[in-house]
Each structure stands twice: as C-alpha cells, then as structure tokens.
C-alpha cells in the first residue's frame, strides 16, 4: 500500500475524488488497511484494491466500488446502501449484517 494513497484518502472525499478524476489510469492499492468505523460515503473506490482490509462498520453509502477488489475484506455491519457494486469482487469477504439496501 502506498502512503501517498492514504494521505490523499485522509484529506476527505472531495480531495480523494478530485485526485481520482485527475488520475483515471491509476488503480490505488489500499490492501490490508484498517478503515473500521470510517465515513467513506461518496468516495470513488472504483478499481481500488481493498483486499483484506478492515472495513468493519464503515459507511460506504453512495460510494463507487465498481470493479473494486474486496476479497477477504471485513465489511461486517457496513452500510453499502446506494453503492455502485458493479463487478465488485467480494470473494471470501465477511458481510455479516452489511446493509445492501
């Protein structure tokens, strides 16, 4: 995982999405990161590697997870309502009590 990606992520949704729009060819790697209980609503995580990440009780409502890699991630209790999940890879992910409404 690149610390550059984490620094941009920590600046918030506007900074992250602006960076993603300016760098469409980059597929960020945030594998194994602990973002538990974070508010990530509206973030553009399309084609992002979040495999093995701790996303326990994360708010991802309205986020873009199109083609994201969430294999082995813990999404237990997370809010995935109104999230774009097109071809998202949930292989072996923990989805107990995740909200997909």
């Amino acid at each position: 995982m690149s610390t550059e990606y984490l620094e941009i992520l920590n600046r918030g949704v506007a900074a992250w999405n602006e960076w993603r729009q300016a760098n469409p060819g980059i597929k960020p790697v945030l594998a194994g990161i602990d973002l538990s209980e974070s508010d990530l609503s509206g973030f553009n995580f399309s084609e992002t590697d979040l495999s093995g990440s701790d996303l326990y009780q994360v708010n991802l409502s309205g986020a873009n997870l199109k083609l994201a890699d969430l294999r082995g991630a813990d999404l237990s209790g997370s809010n995935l309502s109104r999230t774009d999940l097109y071809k998202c890879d949930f292989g072996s992910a923990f989805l107990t009590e995740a909200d997909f409404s």
Side-chain angles (χ1 to χ4, degrees), residues 13-55:
V13 65
W16 177 264
N17 288 349
E18 183 178 302
W19 178 81
R20 291 300 311 271
Q21 187 172 6
N23 298 280
I26 296 176
K27 297 177 183 179
V29 177
L30 296 169
I33 192 170
D34 182 357
L35 295 171
S36 58
E37 300 182 9
S38 297
D39 183 0
L40 301 175
S41 56
F43 274 75
N44 179 0
F45 289 121
S46 64
E47 299 187 73
T48 299
D49 181 355
L50 289 159
S51 60
S53 294
D54 185 352
L55 302 170

Side-chain angles (χ1 to χ4, degrees), residues 22-89:
N23 298 280
I26 296 176
K27 297 177 183 179
V29 177
L30 296 169
I33 192 170
D34 182 357
L35 295 171
S36 58
E37 300 182 9
S38 297
D39 183 0
L40 301 175
S41 56
F43 274 75
N44 179 0
F45 289 121
S46 64
E47 299 187 73
T48 299
D49 181 355
L50 289 159
S51 60
S53 294
D54 185 352
L55 302 170
Y56 174 76
Q57 291 190 345
V58 169
N59 181 6
L60 286 161
S61 65
N64 180 353
L65 291 171
K66 187 165 88 175
L67 298 169
D69 183 354
L70 290 162
R71 291 175 295 155
D74 183 0
L75 290 144
S76 302
S78 292
N79 181 356
L80 295 158
S81 62
R82 301 179 323 278
T83 301
D84 185 349
L85 300 171
Y86 178 76
K87 291 194 176 182
C88 182
D89 189 347

